[in-house]
Structure formats: structure tokens, C-alpha cells
Amino acid sequence: KFTPPKKAPLDFGYWVAHSDDDEPPPGAHFLKDDLSHIPLLNNNAYGLVLPDTTIAEGKIIYHDKLADVVVMRKVWFHDAENHVIKLAADTDYCIALSNSNNAKDQDLHLKKCKKNKTDQWTYDASTQQIKLKANTKRCIVKASKGNKKVKAQLKACSSSGGTTDQWGIKKPTSNAKKQISNAGQIPWKWDNKYCMAAKAEPKTKDINIIFKKYAGNNKDKWHYNTKHYTINNNKYPSIVMRVSGDVKAGTAIKTAAKKYDSKDQWVFDSTNFLIKLKSNTKFCMTKAKQGTTEGVNIVLGECGKGSTKEKWGIEETFTMKSASITDIKIMNPTHDAWKMKFGSSQFEPIRIKYKLGSNVYYLYYIFAAPSGTTSAKCKASVTCGHMEKWFYINGSKSDKTKGKDGKAIGVAKREWIKFPLKVSFTKSKKGKYTIRLDCNKCSS
């Protein structure tokens, strides 16, 4: 545990390392025996603070904006033994009532710690309210709604917690449903025939998590525990996926008994289709090697460096029903367009503008292999890509100028989709293509 200094200079910004448990997310959270922000649950950017750098009896406690870097006047130390909340900058001072009548609404002040009915608090985890220990019908409440500087006051607790009296870290939306199927498959985003799974029946610890074709057996089926952030086996729910050693690139992911600690808790990034280690979100689950070879271990890797190896998620389905298709081009200079570079290869895909309601996507379809390779070789290589399959570019879904600057687009940015717009084409003896988009059967 971090022990704060008796006195520390206010506004001396530095990071504070926190221990990990089953609470979200990595970093500070309320009521640990260490330094913490006390954030408003409704908006974690705001929390309880001392308004300036002066430490004195009677200073009013406010709800105001927190800092990305820990600032001592905005950070507190929970003394669990004595039930007081101390100012990190000077732990002689605590959050206290401005007068002794706890039945009366009143401001909260900074006062010398007395450890009595005026400054002792309890945290109700079920409602996420900070209640006065001497009168648990009274809570710490921000004076009014909205994202602004207002006083923190003692008021009646709302029945089950509300926007002005709930404090603590807001749980992130897991979005695991976009990355784990209803059946329990954790599919490889580049090709959903493959998944991550246990190498053997996951009854015990220390079984490697590997890359393989999905078979729908006990080794393949997992689910996400949104309360504890663990990936549990469906058949053996006490078994989870866990980092088997040091948190560094290359460390294998293996089965283990659940501990709810820094090595078995994960968060899902459904925007980029990553599975991140909760205690250090710089690291993600990734295949140890590129390609489609089965049996390759799943390991930790630095997020953003694994290309298609680190992407896990369910292939999206786009419908033609109620959608419009316009702006059809072959990405070639003769069609008032440009060739597109993915990785080290140049392509001339079909491009269409897809609009469904307010959503606009530019969708692409590779029908011909790039120069220097064949269709068969391109299909077999994740750095080249699927042939005759639609995709959009992650992060640039509505950018009609993407690739115009000639810069290479990361191969993992291509999000392959299920889309019923059929493409047929023929190639003449002179190498010219005739292409047809057939929407006659595109009704779903």
C-alpha cells in the first residue's frame, strides 16, 4: 500500500500506483486504503476536491473537475480503521460536517480529524453512496445537477442512489457481445472460422490458450463476467483465462482458477476489436504468430502492434434493406479515382457509398489480386487479404478521400463484413474487366 507523506506540496502532480482488485477500472477507485480520487459516478471527470492550495479549518469541500495527473488537493486517503476520509496533502485534515447537527442540510468542510460522529463515513457499495456513519440516512451530495463547480453537502440520501449522491468509478460498457458469440466463441476477426480456445479440456490450470478452428466443444466456449471482468469457461466457470507470468509481450495466456486480480481481468475494446488487460491496457491478447496455423499460442502483446493477430470479434452483417448504394467506382486513375495501398500492396478495389439511415460507410471489394501475386496466394495471406469479400476501413468508414494521399493503410484496418451485394466480373483477353453489381436479390 502507498503511504502518503504527512505533508506534501499541493498541486505537485505525479502518478500514484494503485493495487488491483475486482473493482473497475485500472487505477484509482474510491475507498481503498490508498490515495484515490472520489469521482462522481455519473461523470468520472468530476469529484470531491479542495478548491485551492490553502489548507485551513473551515475550507469548503467542492464538486469540481478532477485532473488526469493526480493533484494532491484533489486526492484523498481513506482511513478504513477510523472511518475518516483524509486529505492526501495533509492527513491531519478530514472531510467533516460544518456543524454538529447531522439532521440539518449543511456544507462539508475541511477540518482537523476528530474521528467522531462529525467526520466518520461509510460507503454503501450497493447504492454507491457515501453515508454519514452516525446517521446513514444522510449522504455526501453535490449541491445541484450539472457539470460545474458546486458545493459538496450533507443531505438526505436518495432511496437507491441518484445522479448527485453516487460516487465511484463508472463501469465501462463491456461490449463483449460484439466479440464473443452467443454460443461462447471468441472468433478471430479476420476469419470467424477460427477462435481462441483451450488446448485441452479446461478442467484445470496451466492449459495454454491457443488459436484453432472453432468446433463448438468445451475448449471453445467461454463467456465474459461483467462484474469481475474475467473470461470464464462455459463448462467449467471457475476456470478463467489468465496471464501466466510477467505482464510483458510474449507471456502466454493459460487457464487458471479465478482470482479477480491484475492478471485475469480483461476489458473489451469493441471499436478496435481488441481484448485488453484491465490492469494495464497497453497489453492485449494476440496470436504469437501471423497466419492461419492452428495450435499457435495466445500471448500478451502490445496493443496496436499485432496487426490482424490481435483482433477478436464477430464479423458484422450489413443489410441491403432500406439502404442506398451510390457513388460506385473502380479505384483506378482512369475512373477519376486512385489506387489504394494496404500494407505493401496496391489494389484497385470496387468502392461504393453505403447509406442506411444516418449511417454512411464507404465499402470496398477486392476482385483482382495486386501485381506480383495470384488470387490464391492473396486469399491465403492476411497481409494481402480476402478476395471477393466486402470490407470497410476502421476509423475512416465515411472518408471518401481515404488512400488518395498514397499512404499505406494498415491491413488490420480492413473490417471484413457479410454483405449480400453480389459482384460478378469477367476478364477479356486484353486484361480488361467487365464488372456487374447485382442487387436483384439484395432485400435483406
Side-chain angles (χ1 to χ4, degrees), residues 97 99-106 117 132 134-135 137-138 154-156:
L97 307 185
N99 68 68
S100 59
N101 183 3
N102 63 35
K104 181 181 178 181
D105 289 358
Q106 58 186 282
K117 64 181 182 178
L132 188 68
N135 183 353
K137 293 182 179 180
R138 312 285 288 172
L154 182 76
K155 289 187 176 183

Side-chain angles (χ1 to χ4, degrees), residues 190 304 307-308 311 331 338-349 351 362-364 366 382-385 391-397 399-416:
W190 195 82
S307 187
T308 60
K311 299 190 69 171
M331 300 306 289
W338 50 90
K339 294 183 180 182
M340 302 190 72
K341 189 175 183 181
F342 293 100
S344 60
S345 300
Q346 279 197 326
F347 296 83
E348 300 178 23
R351 191 194 74 181
Y362 280 93
L363 303 180
Y364 302 84
I366 296 172
V382 297
T383 58
C384 186
F391 66 94
Y392 68 89
I393 300 172
N394 197 333
S396 305
K397 66 179 186 180
D399 183 0
K400 67 183 296 182
T401 66
K402 191 64 178 176
K404 190 175 183 177
D405 57 8
K407 293 182 179 178
I409 301 165
V411 294
K413 291 290 185 181
R414 297 171 297 184
E415 301 296 353
W416 308 96

Side-chain angles (χ1 to χ4, degrees), residues 200-220:
E201 190 77 3
K203 295 180 179 180
T204 59
K205 65 179 182 177
D206 292 331
I207 297 170
N208 281 80
I209 303 301
I210 63 168
F211 174 78
K212 65 182 285 290
K213 282 186 177 178
Y214 179 71
N217 54 37
N218 294 335
K219 295 180 285 187
D220 299 355

